Amino acid sequence: MARSCRLGFARVKCDDCQHEYLLPFSCKCRYFCPSCHQKRVLEFGEFLYTEVLKQVPHRQWVFSIPKRLRRYFMYDRSLLSQLSRCAWKVSSLYLKQGVSLDDPEPGAVIAVQTFGDFLNFNPHLHIATNGCFATDGGFMVGTVPDASNLIDLFRLEVFRMLEKAGKINEDIIENMMNWHHSGFNVYCGPAINPGDQEGLEKLAQYIIRAPLSQERLLYIPSSAVPDGIARVIYKGKNSSIRESFTALDWLARLVTHIPNKGEQLVRYYGYYSNKSRGMRKKTDIDIKTPAPVNSDITKKELRRNWARLIQKVYYTDPLLCPKCCGRMRIISIIEDLTVVKKILICLNLWVTKNHDPPSISSPDIEFACRQVQRVQESGYTG
């Protein structure tokens, strides 16, 4: 708390018992801070099911590409936007063919994720959509999709895009077309019914989650391993698999996922595009297909309502006094660094030294030592 307080804080006080505490501001770090990014995740989830998505069935689609092509996207992140257009073109064509409407229009929310389970660079796309909208605002559910039918078309679109961008040539395309396993994959999740608000919200939060999880991260100090080099151990999300990294190797993996300044990680297409939503607001078509949840809270109020977001994550009300259970309120905002330092020193919270890492168990230390031994036996010096 002390380090985050250095960025400024608010004083929250109870008028009944005079109890107060300091509420530190977030670090405003985009994407990588699990704590601060969680607020954006919650806001995005609420924004989707109150402003963008309609009360119709949705599905999660995941488009991924082979390892051989991932390096082009790692060194040229502008290709990620073109990759999302490839996925939209394929899924849009597929969904339109599954309904019997004259001018069907599907909707999609595409989120680009570049990280795998162990922060390896693995660009893939998440799409939430199912069926198509009619011109009068009605909706028709399509046939049960078969994701395998989209793989060949998605592969062809990606090859065309990379060849046009000058990243690959016809020889590479011909070689990869002869692969027994193409490396391309399309996953289609189960349908999410319109009344399943919790499932829809979880999907919205999942597609923009932070790359790393603090709960899966362990730090092994240099004094606990035989070679004297500190290690980072990262656990798999849904498995017992663990990988060991040196600090530099871990940071090297982490920095490959830093988005460029102004880079969009979420895009809206078709019926859910910004243009389409803006045009419908001027007509009465939106009334026929309402949002899953009607919210009277404006976007500005939604962002300011930090207490509600904290309560949603930690299941506790930060404005409920822990002493007398009365209502607390913010009495002042302190941002001046000189005043911030003076107050923290007075409260003995101005800590300049790094704190010790969390305690670790013996099996984690043994695992790190085994990894070091394997590296030494292999003679690897990289």
Side-chain angles (χ1 to χ4, degrees):
M1 174 179 172
R3 291 188 176 276
S4 56
C5 275
R6 296 185 182 187
L7 300 174
F9 49 81
R11 286 183 61 192
V12 184
K13 186 176 182 179
C14 177
D15 293 330
D16 296 332
C17 67
Q18 306 303 311
H19 172 71
E20 66 176 81
Y21 70 90
L22 302 182
L23 177 72
F25 296 151
S26 66
C27 64
K28 304 295 190 300
C29 291
R30 181 188 183 191
Y31 203 49
F32 287 103
C33 177
S35 177
C36 298
H37 185 74
Q38 184 63 22
K39 178 184 176 183
R40 179 175 179 266
V41 168
L42 293 174
E43 288 180 348
F44 177 76
E46 293 189 348
F47 168 71
L48 274 193
Y49 68 74
T50 58
E51 298 288 338
V52 180
L53 303 182
K54 293 299 180 181
Q55 227 173 48
V56 298
H58 291 84
R59 290 182 187 270
Q60 179 190 14
W61 296 77
V62 183
F63 289 76
S64 56
I65 60 177
K67 292 182 179 180
R68 182 172 181 177
L69 301 179
R70 294 174 187 175
R71 57 176 180 169
Y72 302 117
F73 298 89
M74 182 170 64
Y75 294 109
D76 186 359
R77 293 185 64 95
S78 64
L79 294 175
L80 292 173
S81 61
Q82 300 183 47
L83 183 65
S84 66
R85 283 194 289 269
C86 291
W88 162 244
K89 185 176 180 179
V90 171
S91 60
S92 174
L93 179 62
Y94 184 80
L95 291 170
K96 288 179 179 179
Q97 292 178 346
V99 296
S100 57
L101 300 174
D102 292 333
D103 294 313
E105 185 180 15
V109 178
I110 300 183
V112 179
Q113 288 185 352
T114 59
F115 52 90
D117 202 15
F118 293 97
L119 288 190
N120 52 304
F121 193 83
N122 179 18
H124 55 286
L125 311 166
H126 292 271
I127 303 179
T129 183
N130 186 34
C132 291
F133 293 89
T135 54
D136 61 351
F139 184 82
M140 183 176 183
V141 179
T143 58
V144 178
D146 185 357
S148 60
N149 294 333
L150 283 75
I151 295 178
D152 291 340
L153 185 57
F154 178 58
R155 175 175 60 175
L156 183 60
E157 287 294 329
V158 174
F159 283 161
R160 287 175 178 174
M161 180 267 291
L162 291 177
E163 184 181 20
K164 185 177 180 181
K167 304 298 181 180
I168 60 176
N169 52 36
E170 293 182 358
D171 294 334
I172 295 178
I173 295 176
E174 183 179 357
N175 176 267
M176 296 187 68
M177 290 292 288
N178 293 326
W179 285 8
H180 181 65
H181 298 289
S182 68
F184 289 86
N185 185 59
V186 179
Y187 164 80
C188 179
I192 302 176
N193 297 322
D196 189 2
Q197 177 185 338
E198 183 179 358
L200 198 60
E201 186 178 2
K202 286 183 177 179
L203 174 59
Q205 295 173 5
Y206 175 79
I207 63 178
I208 66 161
R209 69 190 190 280
L212 73 158
S213 170
Q214 288 179 320
E215 288 75 14
R216 296 158 53 193
L217 182 67
L218 290 173
Y219 174 76
I220 308 296
S222 57
S223 58
V225 288
D227 62 351
I229 300 177
R231 291 292 193 283
V232 172
I233 295 180
Y234 202 63
K235 299 180 179 180
K237 181 181 179 182
N238 298 317
S239 65
S240 58
I241 300 176
R242 296 177 294 177
E243 285 195 16
S244 176
F245 307 88
T246 64
L248 290 179
D249 288 340
W250 174 255
L251 291 176
R253 285 206 175 192
L254 193 62
V255 298
T256 60
H257 306 291
I258 299 177
N260 295 329
K261 183 178 181 180
E263 178 181 343
Q264 289 184 337
L265 300 177
V266 181
R267 292 174 174 82
Y268 308 90
Y269 293 96
Y271 197 81
Y272 291 154
S273 66
N274 295 332
K275 180 180 178 180
S276 181
R277 298 203 316 270
M279 293 177 63
R280 289 198 307 272
K281 285 183 178 180
K282 301 178 181 179
T283 64
D284 296 330
I285 296 178
D286 254 7
I287 301 177
K288 294 185 178 182
T289 51
V293 177
N294 293 322
S295 177
D296 296 330
I297 303 176
T298 64
K299 294 180 182 179
K300 190 173 183 179
E301 292 173 339
L302 200 67
R303 290 193 297 267
R304 285 183 174 178
N305 201 347
W306 57 271
R308 182 179 54 85
L309 294 177
I310 291 178
Q311 188 172 7
K312 197 169 185 178
V313 178
Y314 300 106
Y315 303 101
T316 182
D317 188 354
L319 292 180
L320 183 66
C321 180
K323 302 292 185 180
C324 68
C325 295
R327 297 304 299 174
M328 307 185 74
R329 64 185 180 88
I330 296 177
I331 60 174
S332 63
I333 301 292
I334 302 173
E335 297 178 300
D336 185 88
L337 294 180
T338 305
V339 179
V340 167
K341 182 177 179 180
K342 185 176 180 180
I343 294 176
L344 292 180
I345 291 176
C346 181
L347 297 175
N348 199 25
L349 293 175
W350 186 262
V351 182
T352 57
K353 296 182 179 180
N354 294 326
H355 60 78
D356 295 332
S359 59
I360 51 179
S361 60
S362 298
D364 295 320
I365 297 178
E366 293 174 1
F367 173 77
C369 293
R370 287 197 302 270
Q371 296 291 62
V372 173
Q373 186 178 1
R374 289 175 184 175
V375 172
Q376 291 175 341
E377 291 176 353
S378 66
Y380 175 72
T381 59

